[in-house]
């Protein structure tokens, strides 16, 4: 499959989250790409109405690309639990409620597993990244990291569901792990590797 190359010098990051912008900016800088956030460009946040991570990443990236006339990058991510039919999945952020309380969200996952009497404690994180251009062209990449769900949660590093996730072959939760180690194996890193290999291969690093 021929992938469209990102040749433009400026990329809009379709997020209003400063943390995500800083993380993505650090990944893009070695390729000579300057990142600006959709928020700084005055672009609103679209409603995430898609039924999949891919659909939500695409709608966010396209919204910013069309509004700014520049290529845009969006990510959509979450935790999927097979014993809960994939929940919280695309609703991972919403399970934390308006207070964005991930202690509450993790308890909700644990309570749902208990209610089902589930002995299957597998879980996996998904990240979908979409590069979109103002003409509507999209390139989308998916990364996953598989593991098991620990209880009680452990560690105060990372964010979201990190304290209850132990990646395959590891003993520490993502919440206990050195951030660099998590970032080397995470779903987001895997999606980024695919994106850079496919769409940034012609750019100097
Ligand atoms: P989004 O910003 O709509 O993509 O929401 C993603 C949500 O999924 C976040 O709010 C987190 O709860 C969860 N999530 C995604 N990636 C991670 C991760 O690396 N660690 C922990 N939680 C994550």
């Amino acid at each position: 499959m021929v992938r469209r190359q990102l040749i433009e010098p400026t990329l809009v990051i379709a997020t209003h989250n400063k943390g995500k912008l800083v993380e993505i900016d650090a990944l893009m800088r070695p390729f000579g790409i300057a990142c600006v956030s959709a928020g700084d460009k005055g672009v609103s946040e679209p409603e995430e109405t898609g039924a999949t991570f891919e659909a939500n990443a695409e709608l966010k990236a396209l919204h910013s690309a069309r509004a700014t006339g520049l290529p845009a990058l969006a990510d959509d991510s979450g935790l999927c639990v097979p014993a809960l039919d994939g929940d919280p999945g695309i609703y991972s952020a919403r399970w934390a409620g308006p207070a964005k309380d991930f202690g509450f969200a993790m308890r909700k996952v644990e309570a749902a597993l208990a209610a089902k009497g589930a002995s299957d404690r597998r879980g996996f994180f998904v990240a979908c990244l979409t590069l979109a251009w103002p003409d509507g062209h999209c390139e989308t990449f998916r990364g996953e990291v598989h593991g098991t769900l620990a209880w009680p949660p452990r560690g105060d590093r990372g964010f979201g569901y990190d304290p209850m996730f132990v990646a395959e072959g590891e003993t520490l939760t993502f919440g206990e792990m050195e951030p660099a180690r998590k970032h080397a194996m995470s779903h987001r890193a895997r999606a980024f590797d695919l994106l850079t290999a496919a769409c940034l291969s012609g750019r100097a690093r």
Side-chain angles (χ1 to χ4, degrees):
M1 191 197 307
V2 179
R3 299 288 201 169
R4 189 184 285 190
Q5 295 292 303
L6 180 69
I7 52 169
E8 294 83 348
T10 305
L11 183 63
V12 176
I13 309 305
T15 182
H16 289 240
N17 178 329
K18 276 270 178 271
K20 268 190 192 174
L21 178 69
V22 168
E23 203 174 298
I24 294 171
D25 187 50
L27 287 157
M28 290 294 169
R29 196 163 303 162
F31 294 95
I33 297 166
C35 295
V36 291
S37 84
D40 289 345
K41 285 263 175 195
V43 179
S44 61
E45 277 187 290
E47 226 189 301
E48 296 186 22
T49 52
T52 60
F53 292 107
E54 283 84 353
N56 281 329
E58 285 177 17
L59 74 83
K60 287 190 273 190
L62 273 174
H63 178 78
S64 283
R66 291 194 165 124
T68 60
L70 293 168
L73 177 72
D75 95 341
D76 200 59
S77 52
L79 174 70
C80 299
V81 182
L84 303 180
D85 303 319
D87 275 345
I90 59 169
Y91 306 108
S92 293
R94 275 171 253 182
W95 274 38
K100 298 192 194 315
D101 178 351
F102 283 95
F104 173 76
M106 289 188 284
R107 287 195 296 279
K108 209 164 147 182
V109 169
E110 189 58 24
L113 285 171
K116 284 209 162 187
S119 55
D120 176 3
R121 297 190 59 86
R122 288 173 304 153
F124 59 97
F125 280 120
V126 176
C128 281
L129 290 172
T130 295
L131 251 182
W133 281 262
D135 66 0
H137 184 86
C138 285
E139 298 286 359
T140 298
F141 305 89
R142 181 184 178 106
E144 297 185 1
V145 58
H146 289 245
T148 53
L149 301 176
W151 199 258
R154 307 192 310 260
D156 52 13
R157 292 171 143 168
F159 67 99
Y161 298 85
D162 279 344
M164 75 177 301
F165 182 80
V166 181
E168 267 168 17
E170 302 292 330
T171 51
L172 299 180
T173 68
F174 270 2
E176 296 172 307
M177 201 177 261
E178 199 63 51
R181 189 167 169 79
K182 176 195 164 186
H183 294 147
M185 69 175 76
S186 78
H187 45 314
R188 206 163 286 106
R190 288 175 182 173
F192 257 109
D193 285 347
L194 295 174
L195 183 150
T196 55
C199 299
L200 304 177
S201 57
R203 301 183 79 114
R205 212 177 176 158

